[in-house]
Amino acid sequence: MSTSKLLKAFNNYSNDCIRFKLIFDESDLKDENERVLNENNQILNSNNNMTKPNGVDRAKQPFKPEFSHQIFGDDENIFGYRNLRIDYYLAPGSLDAYIGLNYKEKVSPAKFDGIEADDVHAQFREFGCSPGFVTNIDTFCSDKLRRDVDFKPYGIKIHEYKLAAPSQQVFEIYKVDAECPEVGDKKFLDYIDNIQTMLVYYIETSNFIDTEDGNWSHYILYEKHKSQRYVTCGYVSVYHYYAFPDRTRARVSQMLILPNYQHQGHGSKLLESIYTDAHQRADIIDVVAESPSDEFIHLRDYVTSKMCMQLESFNSADALRKGFSGEMAKEALDKFKISKLQSRRCYEILRLAITNQNKPDEWRDFRLDLKKRFYLPFIRRTKYARNSAAASTAANADQQPP
């Protein structure tokens, strides 16, 4: 067999190799080892509808990344190991990490003409993943886990809610911005880097933010256990950029709910808290988003439509059938900092909800209303071109000699 064929067995798809797991105490490590032996193919993908056990049991389920190309290249390939498994253990509060390698065989340079295996730990360090991660499991237990028991949230609590029975889990949302004293603290900056690391694995174009820029705000979701222990569950970064003449816009940049906490409504709670917080600040014009993904667009549509249903201009079928109005845009902007473009989307969603598609007149009126929005840019462009042509013709006529 040729050398190239033999070496193929040492190629590994990095997204399948990495196994994240929140480790609450040392007993979780024993449980994980037993689980690996008995159920080697039970890793949960973040795209799955996770209907595993609720509460702490659910939080302890392992999960995979969706992306790792920024660390291991576009092919997301790790070379040099047969049956590689990367145990990426996280302390639940601080997200401090242990990264360990397990494999059946490592490529031998003596056997394959000096070909060496990839230095996986070096690749993680070079990219800046989980700053200060350890490779010794005893150090992780004696240092990272022991300190994590006393982990407390940073910033100011802006919202708290509880899941419905039977779980009754308590969740809290905290905000950290330039006005918080801990924003420049090294522990907090390392913590934000730990969170930003997780974004890299789930947002394709994610990158680390400039923590020295005071225009950033951080919204962090925590689960609060009865033992008063906190678990980091979700995160949103918001950038406040200048808006003429003396105000700002709150632009949602990155958002993540950890896979073990998805499909429970936390994303909508977190996003709604951002709109609520922005409403309390007179200097913010509205809340927008930077290059939103399809998933975020769906989430934002749900959250803002639910908020618009509370407004007088949106809450009656008669008002919706009259079409989108300036009053709707103004009320959504004044009450919830929803931009005009987004309030128009909310109107269309709510208008569709009250439209009987089995009645031809109602269904036609709805479609015609949508077409007005589609055609408006073309009408404006045609009008601008017509006016420009007329102005150009008039200018040329003035320049003609008598």
Side-chain angles (χ1 to χ4, degrees):
M1 186 178 293
S2 65
T3 301
S4 59
K5 289 184 178 180
L6 289 173
L7 290 175
K8 281 185 179 180
F10 294 92
N11 286 318
N12 302 271
Y13 181 51
S14 54
N15 291 340
D16 285 340
C17 296
I18 299 173
R19 304 150 46 89
F20 294 110
K21 192 174 190 299
L22 298 179
I23 303 296
F24 289 81
D25 53 49
E26 293 186 39
S27 65
D28 294 335
L29 295 173
K30 180 181 178 181
D31 294 342
E32 174 65 5
N33 291 332
E34 292 177 354
R35 194 202 64 78
V36 170
L37 290 174
N38 298 326
E39 303 177 40
N40 197 35
N41 61 350
Q42 290 294 314
I43 297 295
L44 295 176
N45 190 288
S46 64
N47 291 327
N48 291 342
N49 185 0
M50 299 179 62
T51 56
K52 292 291 181 180
N54 291 321
V56 176
D57 289 337
R58 178 169 178 161
K60 291 180 179 181
Q61 294 295 313
F63 52 97
K64 288 183 181 181
E66 292 184 7
F67 306 103
S68 56
H69 59 281
Q70 296 193 60
I71 305 166
F72 300 109
D74 292 340
D75 293 334
E76 297 180 322
N77 182 69
I78 302 174
F79 171 76
Y81 307 88
R82 190 191 297 271
N83 299 338
L84 175 65
R85 188 182 82 239
I86 301 175
D87 292 328
Y88 206 126
Y89 296 154
L90 300 168
S94 64
L95 298 183
D96 286 337
Y98 157 82
I99 302 178
L101 307 184
N102 292 276
Y103 47 85
K104 184 176 181 180
E105 181 184 358
K106 185 176 180 180
V107 69
S108 170
K111 184 178 178 181
F112 293 101
D113 299 326
I115 297 177
E116 296 184 352
D118 294 339
D119 189 339
V120 178
H121 287 137
Q123 289 175 291
F124 281 121
R125 288 194 183 94
E126 183 179 352
F127 187 76
C129 295
S130 302
F133 74 82
V134 297
T135 58
N136 184 291
I137 193 64
D138 292 331
T139 302
F140 177 72
C141 293
S142 61
D143 181 23
K144 306 294 186 182
L145 284 186
R146 184 169 298 176
R147 287 190 289 111
D148 193 73
V149 174
D150 299 321
F151 173 84
K152 300 299 178 186
Y154 296 96
I156 302 170
K157 184 168 72 171
I158 61 173
H159 187 54
E160 178 179 343
Y161 62 94
K162 183 184 294 187
L163 293 187
S167 70
Q168 294 291 307
Q169 293 167 272
V170 176
F171 293 86
E172 298 177 350
I173 298 173
Y174 284 72
K175 175 188 175 182
V176 184
D177 59 17
E179 297 180 0
C180 296
E182 60 264 62
V183 72
D185 184 75
K186 186 180 183 306
K187 289 184 178 180
F188 173 72
L189 296 179
D190 288 343
Y191 172 61
I192 288 298
D193 283 343
N194 285 341
I195 296 178
Q196 293 283 317
T197 295
M198 299 308 296
L199 295 175
V200 170
Y201 294 114
Y202 295 99
I203 301 177
E204 187 173 6
T205 58
S206 177
N207 55 356
F208 288 79
I209 66 173
D210 180 7
T211 52
E212 295 182 359
D213 189 337
N215 292 318
W216 285 105
S217 292
H218 311 275
Y219 295 83
I220 309 171
L221 172 68
Y222 299 96
E223 179 188 1
K224 183 179 180 181
H225 289 183
K226 292 181 180 179
S227 63
Q228 304 300 307
R229 188 170 185 179
Y230 285 87
V231 181
T232 300
C233 308
Y235 171 79
V236 179
S237 61
V238 176
Y239 191 80
H240 299 273
Y241 66 96
Y242 172 74
F244 182 84
D246 58 354
R247 302 177 74 185
T248 63
R249 273 195 164 86
R251 181 176 64 194
V252 177
S253 177
Q254 300 166 321
M255 181 175 187
L256 174 68
I257 302 296
L258 288 182
N260 287 0
Y261 289 92
Q262 292 177 7
H263 309 291
Q264 299 180 50
H266 298 305
S268 60
K269 293 286 188 183
L270 190 51
L271 185 58
E272 189 173 347
S273 70
I274 294 173
Y275 278 98
T276 303
D277 184 58
H279 171 63
Q280 298 172 3
R281 291 183 51 178
D283 61 310
I284 295 179
I285 294 179
D286 55 19
V287 178
V288 294
E290 176 186 358
S291 303
S293 64
D294 291 342
E295 292 82 0
F296 181 84
I297 291 173
H298 296 159
L299 174 65
R300 181 176 59 180
D301 285 345
Y302 167 75
V303 170
T304 53
S305 295
K306 188 173 67 170
M307 296 169 74
C308 284
M309 289 174 65
Q310 305 172 32
L311 303 176
E312 184 177 351
S313 57
F314 285 85
N315 65 8
S316 72
D318 291 338
L320 291 171
R321 289 193 179 98
K322 291 178 181 178
F324 185 69
S325 64
E327 181 186 356
M328 289 178 172
K330 185 177 185 305
E331 189 176 14
L333 185 64
D334 292 344
K335 295 292 180 63
F336 295 122
K337 304 290 185 178
I338 299 174
S339 67
K340 183 177 180 180
L341 180 61
Q342 185 60 27
S343 61
R344 169 76 196 202
R345 287 179 62 90
C346 295
Y347 154 75
E348 292 174 359
I349 292 169
L350 298 176
R351 173 74 183 271
L352 176 60
I354 57 101
T355 299
N356 187 341
Q357 298 183 34
N358 294 320
K359 293 184 177 181
D361 290 344
E362 279 194 36
W363 184 233
R364 184 184 64 251
D365 290 344
F366 173 75
R367 289 185 285 114
L368 289 175
D369 191 55
L370 255 62
K371 287 180 180 178
K372 289 179 184 178
R373 176 170 64 85
F374 297 151
Y375 291 154
L376 189 59
F378 298 100
I379 294 172
R380 288 175 177 169
R381 196 175 306 163
T382 303
K383 183 178 180 180
Y384 174 79
R386 188 184 303 118
N387 292 340
S388 297
S392 177
T393 301
N396 291 335
D398 291 340
Q399 294 176 4
Q400 292 294 328

